[in-house]
Amino acid sequence: MKPELNSEIKNSTILITGGLGFIGQNLAKTLITDFNCKVRIVDDCSNSAQQVHLNLPGESELYTYSILDFDKFFPLLNEVEYIFHLACVQMSRSSEIPFHDMNVNAGGTLGILEYLRNNRSGNFKKFIYSSSSSVYGNSKELPMNENTPVSILSQYAGSKLLGENYTILYNKKYGIPTTVLRLSNVYGLRQFASVSVCGVIGKFIENAICGKSVSIYGNGEQTRDYTFIDDVIDAAIIASVHPDSDGDIFNVSTNKETSVNEIISIMKGYFPELTMQHLPERDIDCVKHRRIDYKKIRDKLGWKPRIHLEEGVYRTISCFKNHLYKTASL
């Protein structure tokens, strides 16, 4: 990130929905530590734990509200300069509670945007919506870019796409400064399986450290584009301050696909005794291959991923070991 852009967000008042989740807590930590921001966190703890707030540095405000509790939530939007909207129903639960999934992922987004349309202060600068590469579905086009046709294969992807559409609509129709980020299989520090809904790398690492086997659904040849958390946080902050991000959609990814079996191979370098159990494919594993192009965000905003998968896995293992050791000592 360019130094002159860095300074734009320093000392700002920030609101993060879903701020106790995996991505949210890493974003809050960076904004507080590196940019001296005042951070308001809104999280109903459905995907997280309230004690996460105790581990954040400096001063931050925590509100354990649902973003659908508008009477309590909307006043928190006043006087903030940036909103990072991460709150959502996770993919693994979306099909079980489809109406709640739609209400949170799409309706909650619409609620924020409608409030900003009618109550936006002069200090407000940007609304950043976190979407997902799941909107591309099982596309045969690799790598998938922002012009790849969407293909909705889950309730989660459907509600996320609707949230995207509202975010862009309110920019084009009402002039609200917004940006959409399509994140791709984020992993890394603080993605603890015991705290929140967790991705495959986090689950594998925690199981390996605890001496448990890891579960492979199907043949393990399904691929994803895994993006390290630090790179995702950098992209979110760049998108929040860069003038060329307004009213646009960007992939945040590595343009590299890695199979589950390749992840196992990397992990065996650290856990030679790691064992696997093979299970039938699940409905949520309907996407066979995913590789996401990040050329647009590189060319327009100057962002690119810095952490290769091998380094990211090493950093994540170190973080997990430290966390589990501290937990065991309590």
Side-chain angles (χ1 to χ4, degrees), residues 168-180:
I168 299 302
L169 171 67
Y170 273 67
N171 173 265
K172 303 304 182 188
K173 189 170 183 177
Y174 303 115
I176 298 172
T178 68
T179 301
V180 171

Side-chain angles (χ1 to χ4, degrees), residues 162-218:
L162 182 53
E164 282 192 13
N165 290 337
Y166 283 136
T167 300
I168 299 302
L169 171 67
Y170 273 67
N171 173 265
K172 303 304 182 188
K173 189 170 183 177
Y174 303 115
I176 298 172
T178 68
T179 301
V180 171
L181 300 180
R182 289 177 176 167
L183 309 183
S184 180
N185 291 89
V186 188
Y187 74 98
L189 315 183
R190 302 177 186 86
Q191 191 184 31
F192 304 122
S194 57
V195 173
S196 181
V197 178
C198 188
V200 63
I201 292 180
K203 289 179 180 177
F204 280 8
I205 291 175
E206 185 156 327
N207 280 14
I209 292 173
C210 295
K212 301 177 182 178
S213 64
V214 299
S215 298
I216 299 176
Y217 295 91

Side-chain angles (χ1 to χ4, degrees), residues 129-142:
Y129 175 73
S130 293
S131 186
S132 169
S133 59
S134 65
V135 300
Y136 295 120
N138 211 7
S139 174
K140 305 301 182 185
E141 178 183 325
L142 294 178

Side-chain angles (χ1 to χ4, degrees), residues 16 18-33 37-43 49-63 190:
I16 306 174
L20 296 184
F22 163 49
I23 298 175
Q25 61 177 291
N26 279 280
L27 176 61
K29 179 178 181 295
T30 298
L31 289 170
I32 294 168
T33 302
C37 291
K38 179 181 179 181
V39 176
R40 297 175 183 174
I41 292 171
V42 180
D43 199 308
Q50 189 168 341
Q51 59 264 34
V52 169
H53 185 244
L54 301 176
N55 298 322
L56 292 177
E59 295 294 329
S60 59
E61 302 171 2
L62 173 62
Y63 302 90
R190 302 177 186 86

Side-chain angles (χ1 to χ4, degrees), residues 2 27 36 58 66 131 202 284:
K2 296 180 180 179
L27 176 61
N36 195 38
S66 166
S131 186
I284 63 173

Side-chain angles (χ1 to χ4, degrees), residues 289-306:
H289 299 286
R290 180 178 292 158
R291 178 159 61 96
I292 310 296
D293 192 347
Y294 65 87
K295 183 176 184 296
K296 182 177 178 181
I297 192 172
R298 181 195 67 193
D299 292 349
K300 288 195 71 173
L301 308 188
W303 176 92
K304 63 180 180 180
R306 297 177 293 106

